[in-house]
Every structure is written in structure tokens, then in C-alpha cells.
Amino acid sequence: MVQQRVFGDFHTILSEGEVWKIGGFPLPDGTFWEYREPDAVVIVRNGILYVRAPLSRQNDQIQILDNAKHMYYSVETVKVPEHGVVDFELQIRARSVNTVPNDLYDGYVSLNLLDFTTGAALDFFAGNDKYASVYAVLPFPGVEVPPSDKTRYFCIFKEDTNFKPREFNTYKITYDRGNDEAVFYLNGTEIRREKNIPIKFNEFTIALGIMTEKDISPEGSVSVHGQVVTAEYSPVTVTIDDRSENKRAAEEK
């Protein structure tokens, strides 16, 4: 059975908690670290979410909190079928000012598919002149990552420049839970396939973000130096192909 959902309704973006909410994580002291740039300009026009953010937010101790600057989480999660495939597709345009040329991680726009039950993530990052696909299991604050006899935490980036810089591109990520496989597509062309994924994704929170990725130095964060990042997102189309009925029918034969 195939079902399709569209996560958009960006006209509700100020009604936080209705369709989208500001992302972040609870901290041990009981406070909540928000991925919210105080001077971000947010515009919704023709169904597109536009966010222009002068980067200012920093965290000197926790890398994950320092990386994301302004981010929206979907309120509803997408459950992954035990036997089937789930696709996420949208268009993104990324433009920035005062970022270092050819350094994607100095300021970019992101699609993040986050599983807070496992710490796993599948992402696309887009910058002025480069993009990356990302496959990771991360130590999100407050999330218990299952123990492993192999590498427990990792983040594998794959960068490329073969896209339309500073224009809309179509990004798609497909996850097959039964085959432990994720496939990344750019403008309809497969650009990466990850097989034998060691962790089962259970559900996805869709995140739309503006981020950096700069290692915290011994003196603290070095991620902000006057960059301004502009993000534009189309609604996210989610297609779930649940093949459980087909599997049961095959087993009964």
C-alpha cells in the first residue's frame, strides 16, 4: 500500500507546535537549547519557506548544539514501515554572504531526517558552490544510541559541486528498512547508495535548517564570523510504500 503526505503548510510557521516547531535539545540543567537565530527574517510566499539568518548562535561545549543555527522540526514524525520504503523529496535553494568560498561547512542550508529513537540521521547540505549527502549516527543530547561492537558514532559526508549553485535543486532520500539501505538523489539522478546500514531507523523527524559544521576549538566555538545564510524550501513530499501485505501473502503461499 502506497501513501503520500506533504509536509508544508508554511503559513503556520509562526504557530509553533502546529505543523512545525523550532528545533533544539533539552539540557541537563533543565533548560532547552533552541536552534533559533534572533534576527532571522522568515517569509512564506507561494508555498515556499524563506529564511534569511545572520549567524550569531554559538555553543562552546557541545558540537551538535554549535552546528545548527536556525532549524524547524516537523511536529509529526514519519513512521518507517517494517517492510517497505519511505521517500522524502523537496526543493532547496541556498545562498550565503561572507561564507568562505568552497567551504560548504562555513554556512549552509540543510534537510535533516532525524531518528531520535536511535540517533541516526540522513541529510542533504547545500551551500553557495557545493552540496553534500550525509549518513550518520550521532550523540544527540538526551538520546540513547544502542550499543554496538563496531563504531557507535559516525558521520560520513560526501561532497560534490555537480548541481545548480544558488538555484533550486531537487533533493530526495529513500530509506528501505528491510534491506538496510539508503539512496540519495539529486535532480532525479542517484548520487549515493549506502548499503548494510548497521542501525534500523524507526521514525523520522523532518528538519529544515541553517547550519555550520566547524569543530569547537580549545578556546570555544569558531563557527560565527559574520555569515548570512538564506534558505528557501519547498514543501516536503513523503511517500510510504508499505509492503507488509505483499510479504504476508508471499509467506502464506
Side-chain angles (χ1 to χ4, degrees), residues 159-178:
E159 301 87 2
D160 202 340
T161 57
N162 186 25
F163 78 140
K164 295 178 287 186
R166 306 186 189 188
E167 298 295 338
F168 277 103
N169 292 267
T170 301
Y171 299 88
K172 179 180 176 181
I173 300 174
T174 296
Y175 175 64
D176 185 333
R177 192 177 195 273

Side-chain angles (χ1 to χ4, degrees), residues 85-151:
V85 177
V86 58
D87 297 341
F88 299 82
E89 183 172 350
L90 83 164
Q91 292 186 310
I92 294 174
R93 178 158 72 168
R95 293 171 291 168
S96 60
V97 177
N98 293 334
T99 51
V100 176
N102 299 311
D103 183 356
L104 171 63
Y105 304 110
D106 196 42
Y108 58 86
V109 178
S110 68
L111 164 69
N112 310 77
L113 304 178
L114 309 174
D115 182 0
F116 294 129
T117 71
T118 63
L122 302 170
D123 311 318
F124 265 119
F125 298 163
N128 262 354
D129 41 35
K130 191 179 293 185
Y131 78 92
S133 54
V134 186
Y135 156 51
V137 177
L138 299 168
F140 293 126
V143 175
E144 181 60 34
V145 175
S148 174
D149 57 359
K150 298 181 180 179
T151 302

Side-chain angles (χ1 to χ4, degrees), residues 140-208:
F140 293 126
V143 175
E144 181 60 34
V145 175
S148 174
D149 57 359
K150 298 181 180 179
T151 302
R152 189 179 187 185
Y153 302 110
F154 58 85
C155 194
I156 311 298
F157 302 84
K158 185 176 180 182
E159 301 87 2
D160 202 340
T161 57
N162 186 25
F163 78 140
K164 295 178 287 186
R166 306 186 189 188
E167 298 295 338
F168 277 103
N169 292 267
T170 301
Y171 299 88
K172 179 180 176 181
I173 300 174
T174 296
Y175 175 64
D176 185 333
R177 192 177 195 273
N179 290 327
D180 296 316
E181 185 173 83
V183 187
F184 298 78
Y185 299 86
L186 177 77
N187 297 325
T189 299
E190 180 182 326
I191 54 95
R192 180 177 184 179
R193 183 178 294 261
E194 289 291 341
K195 299 182 178 180
N196 302 315
I197 292 176
I199 200 165
K200 295 282 189 184
F201 288 80
N202 299 311
E203 60 184 33
F204 289 104
T205 294
I206 302 169
L208 307 176

Side-chain angles (χ1 to χ4, degrees), residues 15-68:
S15 301
E16 296 174 11
E18 185 174 335
V19 180
W20 300 93
K21 62 184 178 180
I22 285 290
F25 290 98
L27 301 180
D29 63 3
T31 62
F32 187 84
W33 181 272
E34 285 192 331
Y35 292 145
R36 187 197 302 270
E37 281 293 351
D39 292 323
V41 175
V42 179
I43 300 171
V44 177
R45 182 172 50 205
N46 296 324
I48 301 295
L49 174 63
Y50 170 106
V51 183
R52 182 175 71 249
L55 304 191
S56 66
R57 296 276 286 159
Q58 296 175 281
N59 190 289
D60 291 327
Q61 285 83 39
I62 302 175
Q63 189 69 57
I64 286 174
L65 302 185
D66 188 55
N67 290 346

